[in-house]
Amino acid sequence: IQRDALARIAQASDRRGVEDARVAILGKKGELTLAQTGMKDVPREEKPAVGQLLNEARKAITEALDAKLEEVQAQADKAAVAGVDLTLPARSLPPGGLHPLTIVRDEAVRILRHMGFALADGPEIEDEFHCFDALNTPEDHPARNEKDTFYFDSGKLLRTHTSSVQIRSMEKQLPPVRVIAPGSAYRRDEIDATHLSAFNQLEGLYVDTDVSVGDLKGTLEYFLRALFGSGTEVRFRPHFFPFTEPSFEIDVKLKVDGQAPRWVEIAGCGMVDPNVFEAVDRELGLDPGAQARYTGLTGFAFGIGLDRLAMIRWGIRDIRALIENDVRFLAQFQ
Ligand code: PHE
């Protein structure tokens, strides 16, 4: 057996051949294995001698297999670099960089975390409750229209804003709530230089006892000045959102694209509408009167368009540049 095995191993010319030989000789049904199984039929007085012979054979064969494997591997390596000039300098790889959206998102998150906000998230495939109903958005509100929102057959939808994470966060934790949630949102908009059907927002929510409009203004002014520079002018314009009352749009006075400073709309915000707190309590199975967890508290929420933020910051005129992945565009943000 040993002689045949060693001859067979010597003939193997590649890895595969060596492995086949190993199986044929040492495998479960290999020649040597079968011989060792046959030990039980060997007369008792011959057992020690035969056993020793078989063990020696196994050792010799294993060593031969290992040596052969190394040999064929070395040959394969040599063949792989044959004709390659290993003294040539390596081709350098272009360095990667962060996407502009990643840069503005990370910066906004860094500032807000510093201010005590924790990261939160929620699903992009949402239900009507978290995207609309709990956010005090009536059944006939235009945002719920099939023309404006992507609905699935199941009745679920692609969230039209990150405000759904407000509800998700309140369901998940106890007050006080101080969270931010950057993420994608989707609307059936006509795609042009300022609209994509998938875009990015950053949501913020602060709920506690006695949160005031002053807190809202102070927090957002601080945040926006950290983002755009300490001298930046910020103004709050009355607006309407179903889930906040009062509601505001926030403008920041900025030089965009080298032009004279002008007011640029940057975010929506407002004081959380009491109906939102009530909806969360009800969903939690709590009576908003007797068992209220959120009803009776106050809070503010805000939502910032991250794509807009990137466009303003670098004077990007067409939002589509953010998703085309043209390296000539992306390489400018390193
Ligand atoms: N969800 C609003 C939007 O998408 C923004 C917003 C968030 C407004 C939070 C008020 C409070 O336009």
Side-chain angles (χ1 to χ4, degrees), residues 154-192:
S154 65
K156 291 216 172 185
L157 48 84
L158 289 176
R159 69 180 180 199
T160 56
H161 50 188
T162 46
S163 297
S164 50
V165 185
Q166 291 183 35
I167 309 301
R168 295 267 168 202
S169 300
M170 286 190 274
E171 285 172 348
K172 253 186 252 171
Q173 64 166 98
L174 295 172
V177 179
R178 225 181 272 119
V179 291
I180 48 171
S184 299
Y186 304 85
R187 287 179 202 170
R188 294 184 66 155
D189 278 330
E190 201 76 60
I191 292 174
D192 60 25

mmCIF file of all heavy atoms in Angstrom, residues 154-192:
data_model
loop_
_atom_site.group_PDB
_atom_site.id
_atom_site.type_symbol
_atom_site.label_atom_id
_atom_site.label_comp_id
_atom_site.label_asym_id
_atom_site.label_seq_id
_atom_site.Cartn_x
_atom_site.Cartn_y
_atom_site.Cartn_z
ATOM 1 N N SER A 154 -49.680 46.787 -0.277
ATOM 2 C CA SER A 154 -50.000 46.407 1.104
ATOM 3 C C SER A 154 -50.608 47.549 1.904
ATOM 4 O O SER A 154 -51.068 47.346 3.019
ATOM 5 C CB SER A 154 -48.715 45.969 1.802
ATOM 6 O OG SER A 154 -47.828 47.078 1.895
ATOM 7 N N GLY A 155 -50.581 48.774 1.325
ATOM 8 C CA GLY A 155 -51.063 49.918 2.088
ATOM 9 C C GLY A 155 -49.919 50.660 2.755
ATOM 10 O O GLY A 155 -50.080 51.790 3.216
ATOM 11 N N LYS A 156 -48.742 50.017 2.815
ATOM 12 C CA LYS A 156 -47.575 50.723 3.352
ATOM 13 C C LYS A 156 -47.103 51.748 2.326
ATOM 14 O O LYS A 156 -47.581 51.788 1.197
ATOM 15 C CB LYS A 156 -46.465 49.716 3.652
ATOM 16 C CG LYS A 156 -46.801 48.812 4.819
ATOM 17 C CD LYS A 156 -45.564 48.517 5.623
ATOM 18 C CE LYS A 156 -45.935 47.770 6.886
ATOM 19 N NZ LYS A 156 -44.778 47.578 7.739
ATOM 20 N N LEU A 157 -46.136 52.564 2.723
ATOM 21 C CA LEU A 157 -45.687 53.633 1.841
ATOM 22 C C LEU A 157 -44.210 53.928 2.089
ATOM 23 O O LEU A 157 -43.636 53.462 3.085
ATOM 24 C CB LEU A 157 -46.527 54.884 2.095
ATOM 25 C CG LEU A 157 -46.702 55.304 3.566
ATOM 26 C CD1 LEU A 157 -45.533 56.127 4.076
ATOM 27 C CD2 LEU A 157 -47.975 56.120 3.719
ATOM 28 N N LEU A 158 -43.596 54.659 1.163
ATOM 29 C CA LEU A 158 -42.238 55.154 1.411
ATOM 30 C C LEU A 158 -42.398 56.450 2.185
ATOM 31 O O LEU A 158 -43.121 57.344 1.748
ATOM 32 C CB LEU A 158 -41.508 55.396 0.092
ATOM 33 C CG LEU A 158 -41.108 54.130 -0.675
ATOM 34 C CD1 LEU A 158 -40.466 54.503 -2.014
ATOM 35 C CD2 LEU A 158 -40.153 53.266 0.138
ATOM 36 N N ARG A 159 -41.757 56.569 3.327
ATOM 37 C CA ARG A 159 -41.992 57.748 4.167
ATOM 38 C C ARG A 159 -41.693 59.022 3.388
ATOM 39 O O ARG A 159 -40.712 59.101 2.649
ATOM 40 C CB ARG A 159 -41.164 57.667 5.454
ATOM 41 C CG ARG A 159 -39.671 57.809 5.246
ATOM 42 C CD ARG A 159 -38.946 57.723 6.592
ATOM 43 N NE ARG A 159 -37.506 57.850 6.386
ATOM 44 C CZ ARG A 159 -36.589 57.477 7.261
ATOM 45 N NH1 ARG A 159 -36.930 56.960 8.429
ATOM 46 N NH2 ARG A 159 -35.311 57.632 6.994
ATOM 47 N N THR A 160 -42.575 60.001 3.550
ATOM 48 C CA THR A 160 -42.454 61.246 2.798
ATOM 49 C C THR A 160 -41.628 62.276 3.556
ATOM 50 O O THR A 160 -41.306 63.327 3.034
ATOM 51 C CB THR A 160 -43.846 61.841 2.540
ATOM 52 O OG1 THR A 160 -44.502 62.008 3.817
ATOM 53 C CG2 THR A 160 -44.679 60.904 1.688
ATOM 54 N N HIS A 161 -41.325 61.969 4.801
ATOM 55 C CA HIS A 161 -40.450 62.810 5.610
ATOM 56 C C HIS A 161 -39.918 61.961 6.770
ATOM 57 O O HIS A 161 -40.455 60.895 7.071
ATOM 58 C CB HIS A 161 -41.175 64.062 6.137
ATOM 59 C CG HIS A 161 -42.499 63.787 6.802
ATOM 60 N ND1 HIS A 161 -43.351 64.786 7.192
ATOM 61 C CD2 HIS A 161 -43.120 62.618 7.145
ATOM 62 C CE1 HIS A 161 -44.424 64.248 7.749
ATOM 63 N NE2 HIS A 161 -44.298 62.936 7.725
ATOM 64 N N THR A 162 -38.869 62.456 7.418
ATOM 65 C CA THR A 162 -38.316 61.704 8.552
ATOM 66 C C THR A 162 -39.121 61.960 9.825
ATOM 67 O O THR A 162 -38.799 61.416 10.876
ATOM 68 C CB THR A 162 -36.833 62.084 8.784
ATOM 69 O OG1 THR A 162 -36.697 63.505 8.734
ATOM 70 C CG2 THR A 162 -35.941 61.449 7.721
ATOM 71 N N SER A 163 -40.187 62.759 9.738
ATOM 72 C CA SER A 163 -40.984 63.055 10.936
ATOM 73 C C SER A 163 -41.606 61.796 11.538
ATOM 74 O O SER A 163 -41.950 61.776 12.730
ATOM 75 C CB SER A 163 -42.077 64.076 10.602
ATOM 76 O OG SER A 163 -41.492 65.296 10.203
ATOM 77 N N SER A 164 -41.736 60.739 10.735
ATOM 78 C CA SER A 164 -42.251 59.475 11.281
ATOM 79 C C SER A 164 -41.356 58.974 12.421
ATOM 80 O O SER A 164 -41.836 58.270 13.318
ATOM 81 C CB SER A 164 -42.315 58.421 10.173
ATOM 82 O OG SER A 164 -41.083 58.352 9.488
ATOM 83 N N VAL A 165 -40.091 59.342 12.398
ATOM 84 C CA VAL A 165 -39.179 58.895 13.457
ATOM 85 C C VAL A 165 -39.506 59.585 14.793
ATOM 86 O O VAL A 165 -39.215 59.054 15.863
ATOM 87 C CB VAL A 165 -37.700 59.114 13.059
ATOM 88 C CG1 VAL A 165 -36.765 58.533 14.105
ATOM 89 C CG2 VAL A 165 -37.415 58.498 11.698
ATOM 90 N N GLN A 166 -40.151 60.761 14.718
ATOM 91 C CA GLN A 166 -40.634 61.376 15.971
ATOM 92 C C GLN A 166 -41.522 60.392 16.710
ATOM 93 O O GLN A 166 -41.356 60.143 17.909
ATOM 94 C CB GLN A 166 -41.463 62.636 15.671
ATOM 95 C CG GLN A 166 -40.699 63.824 15.128
ATOM 96 C CD GLN A 166 -41.640 65.016 14.954
ATOM 97 O OE1 GLN A 166 -42.577 65.213 15.742
ATOM 98 N NE2 GLN A 166 -41.405 65.826 13.922
ATOM 99 N N ILE A 167 -42.498 59.826 15.976
ATOM 100 C CA ILE A 167 -43.454 58.908 16.591
ATOM 101 C C ILE A 167 -42.754 57.634 17.055
ATOM 102 O O ILE A 167 -42.952 57.170 18.179
ATOM 103 C CB ILE A 167 -44.574 58.553 15.582
ATOM 104 C CG1 ILE A 167 -45.178 59.827 14.979
ATOM 105 C CG2 ILE A 167 -45.642 57.692 16.248
ATOM 106 C CD1 ILE A 167 -45.770 60.782 15.985
ATOM 107 N N ARG A 168 -41.918 57.074 16.170
ATOM 108 C CA ARG A 168 -41.181 55.841 16.514
ATOM 109 C C ARG A 168 -40.372 56.039 17.796
ATOM 110 O O ARG A 168 -40.307 55.157 18.644
ATOM 111 C CB ARG A 168 -40.227 55.472 15.375
ATOM 112 C CG ARG A 168 -40.927 55.106 14.086
ATOM 113 C CD ARG A 168 -41.150 53.620 13.990
ATOM 114 N NE ARG A 168 -42.064 53.279 12.893
ATOM 115 C CZ ARG A 168 -42.740 52.143 12.843
ATOM 116 N NH1 ARG A 168 -42.638 51.259 13.812
ATOM 117 N NH2 ARG A 168 -43.535 51.901 11.832
ATOM 118 N N SER A 169 -39.739 57.187 17.926
ATOM 119 C CA SER A 169 -38.882 57.420 19.093
ATOM 120 C C SER A 169 -39.701 57.519 20.371
ATOM 121 O O SER A 169 -39.336 56.966 21.409
ATOM 122 C CB SER A 169 -38.069 58.704 18.924
ATOM 123 O OG SER A 169 -37.264 58.610 17.780
ATOM 124 N N MET A 170 -40.825 58.227 20.284
ATOM 125 C CA MET A 170 -41.646 58.378 21.493
ATOM 126 C C MET A 170 -42.239 57.044 21.921
ATOM 127 O O MET A 170 -42.397 56.781 23.113
ATOM 128 C CB MET A 170 -42.735 59.430 21.265
ATOM 129 C CG MET A 170 -42.174 60.841 21.270
ATOM 130 S SD MET A 170 -43.448 62.129 21.306
ATOM 131 C CE MET A 170 -43.823 62.320 19.572
ATOM 132 N N GLU A 171 -42.563 56.185 20.924
ATOM 133 C CA GLU A 171 -43.093 54.862 21.273
ATOM 134 C C GLU A 171 -42.044 54.013 21.983
ATOM 135 O O GLU A 171 -42.355 53.182 22.813
ATOM 136 C CB GLU A 171 -43.535 54.120 20.002
ATOM 137 C CG GLU A 171 -44.834 54.646 19.429
ATOM 138 C CD GLU A 171 -45.135 54.010 18.078
ATOM 139 O OE1 GLU A 171 -44.256 53.346 17.494
ATOM 140 O OE2 GLU A 171 -46.252 54.182 17.585
ATOM 141 N N LYS A 172 -40.793 54.219 21.588
ATOM 142 C CA LYS A 172 -39.710 53.347 22.055
ATOM 143 C C LYS A 172 -39.182 53.717 23.429
ATOM 144 O O LYS A 172 -38.639 52.875 24.125
ATOM 145 C CB LYS A 172 -38.546 53.430 21.061
ATOM 146 C CG LYS A 172 -38.395 52.177 20.198
ATOM 147 C CD LYS A 172 -37.147 52.265 19.345
ATOM 148 C CE LYS A 172 -37.541 52.489 17.888
ATOM 149 N NZ LYS A 172 -36.435 52.789 17.004
ATOM 150 N N GLN A 173 -39.225 54.989 23.785
ATOM 151 C CA GLN A 173 -38.561 55.389 25.018
ATOM 152 C C GLN A 173 -39.485 56.204 25.914
ATOM 153 O O GLN A 173 -40.607 56.519 25.542
ATOM 154 C CB GLN A 173 -37.290 56.172 24.704
ATOM 155 C CG GLN A 173 -37.535 57.487 23.998
ATOM 156 C CD GLN A 173 -36.299 58.374 24.021
ATOM 157 O OE1 GLN A 173 -35.542 58.419 23.071
ATOM 158 N NE2 GLN A 173 -36.096 59.096 25.133
ATOM 159 N N LEU A 174 -38.991 56.511 27.095
ATOM 160 C CA LEU A 174 -39.748 57.363 28.004
ATOM 161 C C LEU A 174 -39.249 58.790 27.864
ATOM 162 O O LEU A 174 -38.107 59.010 27.491
ATOM 163 C CB LEU A 174 -39.526 56.894 29.446
ATOM 164 C CG LEU A 174 -40.049 55.493 29.787
ATOM 165 C CD1 LEU A 174 -39.577 55.085 31.182
ATOM 166 C CD2 LEU A 174 -41.574 55.478 29.699
ATOM 167 N N PRO A 175 -40.123 59.779 28.151
ATOM 168 C CA PRO A 175 -39.643 61.157 28.128
ATOM 169 C C PRO A 175 -38.655 61.391 29.286
ATOM 170 O O PRO A 175 -38.747 60.657 30.269
ATOM 171 C CB PRO A 175 -40.926 61.977 28.312
ATOM 172 C CG PRO A 175 -41.944 61.032 28.884
ATOM 173 C CD PRO A 175 -41.538 59.654 28.487
ATOM 174 N N PRO A 176 -37.756 62.348 29.213
ATOM 175 C CA PRO A 176 -37.578 63.294 28.102
ATOM 176 C C PRO A 176 -36.953 62.646 26.869
ATOM 177 O O PRO A 176 -36.176 61.721 26.987
ATOM 178 C CB PRO A 176 -36.617 64.342 28.689
ATOM 179 C CG PRO A 176 -35.844 63.618 29.741
ATOM 180 C CD PRO A 176 -36.797 62.605 30.321
ATOM 181 N N VAL A 177 -37.330 63.173 25.692
ATOM 182 C CA VAL A 177 -36.818 62.673 24.412
ATOM 183 C C VAL A 177 -35.968 63.772 23.772
ATOM 184 O O VAL A 177 -36.397 64.929 23.708
ATOM 185 C CB VAL A 177 -37.985 62.331 23.456
ATOM 186 C CG1 VAL A 177 -37.457 61.845 22.121
ATOM 187 C CG2 VAL A 177 -38.905 61.299 24.086
ATOM 188 N N ARG A 178 -34.788 63.398 23.373
ATOM 189 C CA ARG A 178 -33.904 64.373 22.717
ATOM 190 C C ARG A 178 -33.188 63.623 21.607
ATOM 191 O O ARG A 178 -32.119 63.064 21.819
ATOM 192 C CB ARG A 178 -32.883 64.884 23.740
ATOM 193 C CG ARG A 178 -32.680 66.379 23.736
ATOM 194 C CD ARG A 178 -31.651 66.791 24.748
ATOM 195 N NE ARG A 178 -32.183 67.032 26.066
ATOM 196 C CZ ARG A 178 -31.829 66.355 27.171
ATOM 197 N NH1 ARG A 178 -30.953 65.385 27.104
ATOM 198 N NH2 ARG A 178 -32.351 66.657 28.341
ATOM 199 N N VAL A 179 -33.818 63.537 20.442
ATOM 200 C CA VAL A 179 -33.262 62.700 19.371
ATOM 201 C C VAL A 179 -33.117 63.438 18.040
ATOM 202 O O VAL A 179 -33.822 64.418 17.770
ATOM 203 C CB VAL A 179 -34.149 61.443 19.108
ATOM 204 C CG1 VAL A 179 -34.077 60.473 20.274
ATOM 205 C CG2 VAL A 179 -35.582 61.842 18.810
ATOM 206 N N ILE A 180 -32.188 62.960 17.230
ATOM 207 C CA ILE A 180 -32.068 63.391 15.834
ATOM 208 C C ILE A 180 -32.064 62.143 14.964
ATOM 209 O O ILE A 180 -31.622 61.084 15.396
ATOM 210 C CB ILE A 180 -30.769 64.192 15.571
ATOM 211 C CG1 ILE A 180 -29.569 63.469 16.176
ATOM 212 C CG2 ILE A 180 -30.908 65.610 16.100
ATOM 213 C CD1 ILE A 180 -28.242 64.084 15.764
ATOM 214 N N ALA A 181 -32.583 62.295 13.748
ATOM 215 C CA ALA A 181 -32.655 61.145 12.841
ATOM 216 C C ALA A 181 -32.390 61.590 11.409
ATOM 217 O O ALA A 181 -33.274 62.131 10.754
ATOM 218 C CB ALA A 181 -34.023 60.482 12.935
ATOM 219 N N PRO A 182 -31.164 61.411 10.941
ATOM 220 C CA PRO A 182 -30.906 61.668 9.524
ATOM 221 C C PRO A 182 -31.388 60.473 8.717
ATOM 222 O O PRO A 182 -31.330 59.346 9.208
ATOM 223 C CB PRO A 182 -29.371 61.770 9.446
ATOM 224 C CG PRO A 182 -28.857 60.989 10.610
ATOM 225 C CD PRO A 182 -29.955 60.963 11.665
ATOM 226 N N GLY A 183 -31.897 60.698 7.504
ATOM 227 C CA GLY A 183 -32.350 59.554 6.714
ATOM 228 C C GLY A 183 -33.003 59.976 5.405
ATOM 229 O O GLY A 183 -33.212 61.164 5.149
ATOM 230 N N SER A 184 -33.347 58.972 4.603
ATOM 231 C CA SER A 184 -33.946 59.244 3.293
ATOM 232 C C SER A 184 -35.458 59.420 3.429
ATOM 233 O O SER A 184 -36.082 58.860 4.319
ATOM 234 C CB SER A 184 -33.683 58.080 2.335
ATOM 235 O OG SER A 184 -32.306 57.907 2.162
ATOM 236 N N ALA A 185 -36.007 60.197 2.503
ATOM 237 C CA ALA A 185 -37.452 60.363 2.400
ATOM 238 C C ALA A 185 -37.788 60.369 0.912
ATOM 239 O O ALA A 185 -36.909 60.574 0.074
ATOM 240 C CB ALA A 185 -37.892 61.660 3.070
ATOM 241 N N TYR A 186 -39.079 60.119 0.605
ATOM 242 C CA TYR A 186 -39.457 59.880 -0.794
ATOM 243 C C TYR A 186 -40.743 60.610 -1.148
ATOM 244 O O TYR A 186 -41.699 60.577 -0.390
ATOM 245 C CB TYR A 186 -39.658 58.374 -1.013
ATOM 246 C CG TYR A 186 -38.446 57.559 -0.630
ATOM 247 C CD1 TYR A 186 -38.245 57.165 0.698
ATOM 248 C CD2 TYR A 186 -37.492 57.217 -1.575
ATOM 249 C CE1 TYR A 186 -37.129 56.429 1.058
ATOM 250 C CE2 TYR A 186 -36.369 56.484 -1.227
ATOM 251 C CZ TYR A 186 -36.194 56.095 0.093
ATOM 252 O OH TYR A 186 -35.085 55.378 0.456
ATOM 253 N N ARG A 187 -40.733 61.271 -2.295
ATOM 254 C CA ARG A 187 -41.960 61.897 -2.782
ATOM 255 C C ARG A 187 -42.042 61.756 -4.282
ATOM 256 O O ARG A 187 -41.007 61.753 -4.950
ATOM 257 C CB ARG A 187 -41.983 63.398 -2.413
ATOM 258 C CG ARG A 187 -42.248 63.617 -0.935
ATOM 259 C CD ARG A 187 -42.247 65.083 -0.533
ATOM 260 N NE ARG A 187 -41.974 65.156 0.910
ATOM 261 C CZ ARG A 187 -41.718 66.269 1.564
ATOM 262 N NH1 ARG A 187 -41.690 67.429 0.929
ATOM 263 N NH2 ARG A 187 -41.484 66.238 2.865
ATOM 264 N N ARG A 188 -43.274 61.652 -4.793
ATOM 265 C CA ARG A 188 -43.424 61.484 -6.246
ATOM 266 C C ARG A 188 -43.321 62.832 -6.937
ATOM 267 O O ARG A 188 -44.241 63.263 -7.621
ATOM 268 C CB ARG A 188 -44.777 60.840 -6.553
ATOM 269 C CG ARG A 188 -44.856 59.432 -6.032
ATOM 270 C CD ARG A 188 -46.142 58.778 -6.418
ATOM 271 N NE ARG A 188 -46.255 58.569 -7.863
ATOM 272 C CZ ARG A 188 -47.012 57.634 -8.395
ATOM 273 N NH1 ARG A 188 -47.719 56.825 -7.646
ATOM 274 N NH2 ARG A 188 -47.081 57.493 -9.697
ATOM 275 N N ASP A 189 -42.212 63.494 -6.771
ATOM 276 C CA ASP A 189 -42.002 64.785 -7.414
ATOM 277 C C ASP A 189 -41.472 64.593 -8.835
ATOM 278 O O ASP A 189 -40.812 63.612 -9.120
ATOM 279 C CB ASP A 189 -40.960 65.596 -6.618
ATOM 280 C CG ASP A 189 -41.571 66.293 -5.416
ATOM 281 O OD1 ASP A 189 -42.764 66.640 -5.497
ATOM 282 O OD2 ASP A 189 -40.858 66.482 -4.416
ATOM 283 N N GLU A 190 -41.779 65.551 -9.670
ATOM 284 C CA GLU A 190 -41.147 65.615 -10.987
ATOM 285 C C GLU A 190 -39.673 65.906 -10.749
ATOM 286 O O GLU A 190 -39.330 66.815 -9.997
ATOM 287 C CB GLU A 190 -41.797 66.775 -11.771
ATOM 288 C CG GLU A 190 -41.653 66.705 -13.262
ATOM 289 C CD GLU A 190 -42.594 65.669 -13.875
ATOM 290 O OE1 GLU A 190 -43.823 65.797 -13.708
ATOM 291 O OE2 GLU A 190 -42.056 64.743 -14.498
ATOM 292 N N ILE A 191 -38.781 65.119 -11.332
ATOM 293 C CA ILE A 191 -37.347 65.308 -11.090
ATOM 294 C C ILE A 191 -36.821 66.468 -11.927
ATOM 295 O O ILE A 191 -37.054 66.549 -13.130
ATOM 296 C CB ILE A 191 -36.577 64.011 -11.400
ATOM 297 C CG1 ILE A 191 -36.964 62.951 -10.363
ATOM 298 C CG2 ILE A 191 -35.066 64.261 -11.376
ATOM 299 C CD1 ILE A 191 -36.394 61.598 -10.630
ATOM 300 N N ASP A 192 -36.178 67.419 -11.249
ATOM 301 C CA ASP A 192 -35.533 68.532 -11.957
ATOM 302 C C ASP A 192 -34.309 68.969 -11.157
ATOM 303 O O ASP A 192 -33.851 68.232 -10.288
ATOM 304 C CB ASP A 192 -36.530 69.687 -12.185
ATOM 305 C CG ASP A 192 -37.083 70.237 -10.872
ATOM 306 O OD1 ASP A 192 -36.398 70.109 -9.829
ATOM 307 O OD2 ASP A 192 -38.191 70.805 -10.881
#
